[in-house]
Amino acid sequence: MASELGPQQEWLEADGLGGYASGTATGVRTRRYHALLLTATTPPTGRMVLVGGFDAWIETPAGRHDLSSQCYAPGVIGGDGAQHIEDFSHDPWPTWVHRCADGTRVQLEIFVARGGAGTCLGWRLLGSSGMVRLFVRPFLSGRDYHALHHCNGAFRFDADVAAGRVAWQPYADVPGVEARHNGSYRHDPQWYYRFQYEAERERGLDCQEDLGAPGIFEWSLAAGDGGDAVLVLAAGPLAASGTAVDADASALAHRLRDAERSRRRTRASPLALAADAYTVQRHSPAAPAGLSIIAGYPWFADWGRDTFISMRGLCLATGRLDVARQILLAWAATVSEGMLPNRFPDRGNQPEFNAVDASLWFVIAVGEFLASGAASAADRQTLAAAVQAILTGYANGTRHGIRADADGLLACGEAGVQLTWMDAKVGDWVVTPRIGKPVEVQALWLNALALGSRSDDGRWQALFDRGIAAFRQRFWNAERGCLFDVVDADHRSGVNDAALRPNQIFAVGGLPLSLLDDARARSVVDIVEAQLWTPAGLRSLAPGEPGYAPHYEGGVRERDAAYHQGTVWPWLAAAFVEAWMRVRGNGATARAAARDRFLPSLQARLEIAGLGHLGEIADGDAPHTPRGCPFQAWSVGELLRLERKILAEPAAPAAMADPART
């Protein structure tokens, strides 16, 4: 077996609609979200697992050899296919080579065609000493992707069989599954019991399920004749996806493979290709149609805050300006009382307005998009109107106590609501409430006012002037030489939270304007580097602070309690590196030093968990084990912004200019 492979290495194939296929490099499914065919019924939400996985084996003159492995009830592994993996690659899509005990070598590739055409599997015989027969048994469910499936009498094993095609409809109210193949199919209904998902067990969640296995596909394989075994799995009738369906499964798979390979070759780098996974079509009745950004795989949908943070890297830094335009215009239509939704639910029609920063990140993204020169006059007018509506709503006061205070700073928060990105909540317990005036919210607010003041009658400039003066006076913690995390905590004047957190870095980097003079900016950066920087990104709380959690593990309550209490967040790395460069003058020497000092460790993490991607979080203590969501949009987006903008291009000379005089 390839010695470097482990179950923590996960691959992702996204369909551009919110659906995907995903699994591990070893082939052993460890999450309820690992599936061959997971479809979004109301893109990008309403996700359902239709085909969980498969058993595969070959028969040669030497006997049976497994090409797959399953984890069953604790400690029981069925099939030894994982032990015979000779090679694995995820470029351009997941591909395995198995070497069996008799020397037979078989290659498997899995890819998902963009646009909902389904999951394509192909097996190729690379070498053998005799006749080889391949057998594949798919495992079906038909459940919500957050749930688990169990043996029940309602599951229908019936198969609609035709030449080169098999269709199943396990449940009447769930999309069926169509399989196109170039082998033969034998109906053999069986229940497979107690698949064990180790990652779910470690997360303190239910971790066993049963899957239905209607039958077995069979092929004869011969080396060197191009006669691949092909299986294409689609949600519902394949023709309904808009895909032209070849009568021959081999021709269909070949055409889809060629189209997908050509599409992937157009991306400038593997990380730019990874960015494609997060951009999705939205057809949900709960939200405006168009393009959106999935916050992360396998379990997040599209979130407002995550969308506007990540799109600067995923779209703007990669030159995908039309994608950025469509996303911004779609979200501009959702402004309500100055706020943008933070989340559109998987079920139901009411968006959730529970983020103070989502609207402000939207303003920052709009500013960057307009600066690109790609907006038409009509687009500029629409986006400028949305920006003005946000600033007006915030200045006058809106939901959850969000309002401009007399000092020009933005107050926010009320008991029981988590409004900032540090948003963990367990029942009624908000772990890091940060009620008052959080530091990064002020940085966003003042940057938004500066952008808004370019097209108003001076109202925002006056508010900005008051706010910047108050920020510099009230947020400086002279005792520690850095910034308070929250002032007027719990809306109590003069009560400040001095916890050493990374949020203060946005007063120096990550946004167009730095809010501090050179000496204080340098002090902030030095303290953040010394106490919070890790090879994986910034800790959310410094070691030694009350409540610091070195590891993110345990059940739901334990994990949520540690989420922002020391856990490392890779998405913060770009803002930190930008601040690090700014206090050193932003010149070529600073860029080269930052590139050597910070970039390699972040890039190395593209191969240790979500393959080709950066994950959501990591442990605060070394070795900073990856945790949480393995494929995270803002982590990938900010690494792209770091590579393409911050480090690859000279920064604007005025980046450290005093914004009060701009």
Side-chain angles (χ1 to χ4, degrees):
M1 176 179 175
S3 59
E4 69 278 9
L5 298 185
Q8 77 283 356
Q9 294 175 298
E10 300 180 56
W11 55 269
L12 172 73
E13 286 284 303
D15 67 4
L17 298 172
Y20 56 85
S22 183
T24 70
T26 66
V28 179
R29 291 176 296 124
T30 62
R31 300 186 190 273
R32 67 184 67 194
Y33 304 98
H34 287 157
L36 272 183
L37 184 63
L38 188 154
T39 190
T41 58
T42 53
T45 58
R47 292 164 168 167
M48 307 200 76
V49 175
L50 303 182
V51 182
F54 63 89
D55 258 349
W57 66 95
I58 59 171
E59 292 180 359
T60 73
R64 171 176 167 144
H65 308 276
D66 292 321
L67 303 180
S68 61
S69 295
Q70 315 293 337
C71 183
Y72 292 102
V76 178
I77 299 294
D80 63 358
Q83 300 177 35
H84 301 295
I85 298 175
E86 178 183 72
D87 188 44
F88 170 78
S89 171
H90 62 90
D91 182 20
W93 43 66
T95 303
W96 295 259
V97 175
H98 288 81
R99 178 183 285 275
C100 301
D102 66 349
T104 301
R105 298 172 68 243
V106 178
Q107 174 185 287
L108 163 66
E109 64 175 12
I110 300 176
F111 68 91
V112 170
R114 193 81 171 172
T119 303
C120 300
L121 299 91
W123 289 264
R124 174 174 296 178
L125 185 63
L126 301 181
S128 70
S129 57
M131 184 182 70
V132 176
R133 302 286 294 174
L134 168 69
F135 302 85
V136 175
R137 180 189 279 275
F139 300 131
L140 274 59
S141 60
R143 59 161 170 89
D144 181 276
Y145 74 139
H146 292 309
L148 289 170
H149 188 251
H150 297 288
C151 176
N152 66 88
F155 187 94
R156 295 175 53 197
F157 286 96
D158 303 5
D160 178 8
V161 181
R165 174 188 171 276
V166 181
W168 305 281
Q169 185 78 47
Y171 299 105
D173 57 348
V174 172
V177 176
E178 179 175 283
R180 296 290 179 130
H181 65 94
N182 60 349
S184 61
Y185 174 77
R186 173 166 55 89
H187 200 57
D188 181 30
Q190 304 282 344
W191 277 105
Y192 277 58
Y193 299 99
R194 293 189 299 175
F195 289 94
Q196 174 93 359
Y197 301 136
E198 280 297 293
E200 306 301 329
R201 183 188 62 79
E202 292 170 1
R203 297 170 69 216
L205 301 174
D206 292 342
C207 59
Q208 292 187 350
E209 81 168 336
D210 311 323
L211 296 174
I216 300 171
F217 293 93
E218 182 178 347
W219 294 266
S220 292
L221 298 181
D225 70 349
D228 295 2
V230 168
L231 184 61
V232 181
L233 299 169
L238 187 57
S241 70
T243 301
V245 181
D246 302 76
D248 179 67
S250 298
L252 171 63
H254 183 77
R255 179 168 54 79
L256 292 174
R257 182 189 296 111
D258 285 351
E260 195 59 26
R261 191 183 298 276
S262 296
R263 184 186 70 82
R264 299 184 191 207
R265 284 174 176 167
T266 64
R267 300 298 178 244
S269 70
L271 194 61
L273 176 60
D276 281 358
Y278 303 98
T279 305
V280 296
Q281 291 284 339
R282 187 202 270 146
H283 303 298
S284 170
L291 294 179
S292 192
I293 290 176
I294 288 288
Y297 295 94
W299 51 72
F300 291 127
D302 53 341
W303 291 57
R305 174 190 296 122
D306 300 63
T307 293
F308 308 125
I309 291 173
S310 60
M311 72 178 298
R312 295 196 297 162
L314 298 180
C315 303
L316 297 172
T318 56
R320 302 171 69 192
L321 300 178
D322 187 58
V323 174
R325 170 188 172 275
Q326 293 183 61
I327 293 171
L328 291 172
L329 289 174
W331 281 86
T334 69
V335 177
S336 168
E337 301 176 37
M339 297 185 73
L340 286 168
N342 191 41
R343 189 172 81 93
F344 294 103
D346 275 353
R347 299 286 187 269
N349 296 319
Q350 296 303 313
E352 296 178 4
F353 293 89
N354 61 350
V356 62
D357 50 350
S359 301
L360 301 176
W361 279 113
F362 172 85
V363 175
I364 301 303
V366 166
E368 190 166 329
F369 173 68
L370 294 181
S372 73
S376 67
D379 293 343
R380 296 182 74 89
Q381 184 176 9
T382 298
L383 295 174
V387 167
Q388 294 300 317
I390 290 167
L391 296 179
T392 299
Y394 274 38
N396 294 343
T398 184
R399 302 172 179 89
H400 308 306
I402 299 171
R403 68 189 189 284
D405 211 346
D407 59 4
L409 298 177
L410 194 70
C412 63
E414 59 188 15
V417 181
Q418 68 281 34
L419 286 180
T420 74
W421 78 274
M422 290 189 159
D423 58 358
K425 185 178 180 181
V426 183
D428 293 331
W429 174 37
V430 177
V431 182
T432 47
R434 306 183 73 231
I435 294 172
K437 296 170 181 173
V439 62
E440 84 284 4
V441 173
Q442 310 315 310
L444 285 161
W445 170 241
L446 293 168
N447 270 269
L449 288 173
L451 289 166
S453 67
R454 298 174 184 174
S455 57
D456 84 320
D457 58 4
R459 176 189 182 193
W460 305 134
Q461 184 65 49
L463 191 54
F464 173 88
D465 291 342
R466 291 203 307 276
I468 190 68
F471 183 89
R472 290 171 172 170
Q473 177 186 4
R474 304 197 57 210
F475 270 88
W476 185 248
N477 182 346
E479 182 179 346
R480 302 190 74 167
C482 60
L483 299 176
F484 290 112
D485 190 58
V486 182
V487 304
D488 294 349
D490 295 322
H491 299 311
R492 292 181 294 167
S493 179
V495 176
N496 303 325
D497 181 354
L500 183 52
R501 295 188 181 275
N503 305 299
Q504 60 189 299
I505 204 65
F506 289 102
V508 186
L511 297 171
L513 301 177
S514 174
L515 306 181
L516 301 176
D517 61 51
D518 290 359
R520 287 184 173 182
R522 180 62 180 257
S523 182
V524 165
V525 171
D526 288 348
I527 287 174
V528 168
E529 182 175 12
Q531 297 295 317
L532 300 176
W533 174 258
T534 77
L538 292 184
R539 294 184 179 97
S540 47
L541 184 67
E545 293 282 318
Y548 175 75
H551 303 287
Y552 176 86
E553 54 192 3
V556 174
R557 184 178 180 85
E558 291 79 13
R559 286 183 287 111
D560 281 351
Y563 207 32
H564 301 294
Q565 294 292 90
T567 297
V568 174
W569 291 77
W571 81 271
L572 299 168
F576 167 74
V577 174
E578 188 170 31
W580 192 92
M581 287 176 53
R582 282 180 174 179
V583 300
R584 287 164 174 79
N586 268 335
T589 300
R591 286 200 309 279
R595 190 179 298 115
D596 293 341
R597 189 182 186 98
F598 303 115
L599 197 56
S601 66
L602 293 169
Q603 292 174 329
R605 298 186 71 84
L606 297 171
E607 298 300 320
I608 64 174
L611 295 170
H613 297 248
L614 271 185
E616 179 188 17
I617 52 177
D619 281 346
D621 276 10
H624 310 296
T625 301
R627 305 287 188 182
C629 182
F631 309 93
Q632 193 77 6
W634 63 12
S635 299
V636 172
E638 284 294 270
L639 181 55
L640 274 166
R641 194 173 71 87
L642 180 60
E643 291 181 353
R644 300 290 185 91
K645 292 292 185 183
I646 299 169
L647 295 178
E649 299 179 6
M656 287 296 291
D658 183 347
R661 297 195 296 270
T662 57

